[in-house]
Amino acid sequence: LPDIDLELREMVSDDQLEALRTERIDLGLIRLPADLQGLEMTCVVREPMSLVLPRAHPLARRRRDLRVNDLHDEPFIMYQPGDGRYFHEMLQALFHETGVAPRFMQHVRHTHSMIALVNAGIGLALVPASTALMRLDNMTVRDINLPDHIRAEMHLVWRRSGTIGNPAMERMRALLIEQGGLT
């Protein structure tokens, strides 16, 4: 796409929405819920959550399938309620509906920080499966049986008037939707 200058910027969802509205960016990848007034969106990624845990943790060696009940009273790294509210609210609801009460050791903003804390042996964490591919030496990743509605979704978002009539932006948006595998 020779007519497109790609500049990646790390921003949480709320910052992306503001940048879209003020025309500082053209496309964003966000988590819901969000105020989408004046914006369009489509889901481009829907994936399960994985359990990341220190390699020496007893659950890392357990042969049977792991369940959410296995997290009861375990040291747990949790998302912050502010910047990490999408995952925070999803996991809080999961723990509430299942009666599971992990011991929250830290509340962090970014998934990569969680993985670093797990690698340091601070606790366990539930992260999107694709993020769990970032493997560190002292960490292991396990599948965990969770209810079907516990999925990490990523949405592509753009201004209603921002890409219409701009062939390069329309192509970029179509490419991102195609790469996400969802329609």
Side-chain angles (χ1 to χ4, degrees):
L1 300 173
D3 296 332
I4 294 180
D5 291 327
L6 182 63
E7 180 182 333
L8 299 177
R9 297 182 190 177
E10 282 186 295
M11 296 182 196
V12 295
S13 295
D14 288 342
D15 293 343
Q16 289 181 65
L17 296 171
E18 176 62 25
L20 278 164
R21 288 188 177 99
T22 59
E23 299 184 13
R24 290 180 288 138
I25 65 173
D26 296 305
L27 298 169
L29 291 166
I30 67 166
R31 308 276 186 194
L32 296 179
D35 174 11
L36 297 171
Q37 184 176 355
L39 303 172
E40 298 285 334
M41 70 154 201
T42 188
C43 184
V44 293
V45 174
R46 185 176 296 114
E47 62 182 321
M49 302 291 281
S50 292
L51 180 66
V52 291
L53 56 167
R55 198 172 295 284
H57 193 282
L59 290 177
R61 295 184 298 274
R62 188 175 289 175
R63 295 258 184 239
R64 70 172 175 80
D65 289 341
L66 297 176
R67 300 179 324 270
V68 69
N69 293 348
D70 294 321
L71 304 179
H72 187 75
D73 203 34
E74 289 291 337
F76 197 83
I77 313 301
M78 183 60 153
Y79 289 91
Q80 285 181 353
D83 289 335
R85 90 172 166 262
Y86 171 80
F87 288 115
H88 180 84
E89 290 174 4
M90 176 195 306
L91 296 178
Q92 283 292 85
L94 171 68
F95 295 144
H96 178 75
E97 72 188 41
T98 59
V100 171
R103 287 182 288 122
F104 298 117
M105 307 305 289
Q106 295 287 328
H107 287 78
V108 298
R109 180 179 186 178
H110 298 290
T111 303
H112 294 88
S113 300
M114 289 182 134
I115 289 174
L117 290 170
V118 169
N119 192 63
I122 306 299
L124 319 176
L126 287 169
V127 300
S130 62
T131 307
L133 297 174
M134 185 182 100
R135 307 225 181 218
L136 300 175
D137 291 341
N138 190 37
M139 182 189 92
T140 191
V141 179
R142 293 285 309 271
D143 290 337
I144 183 167
N145 291 327
L146 297 174
D148 288 337
H149 68 278
I150 303 297
R151 294 280 184 263
E153 292 185 352
M154 182 74 69
H155 294 81
L156 180 65
V157 64
W158 61 93
R159 286 182 305 283
R160 284 192 183 126
S161 61
T163 60
I164 297 171
N166 182 333
M169 287 310 302
E170 287 292 333
R171 178 67 184 120
M172 180 62 129
R173 187 178 68 185
L175 181 64
L176 288 168
I177 292 169
E178 175 184 312
Q179 292 299 310
L182 296 175
T183 54

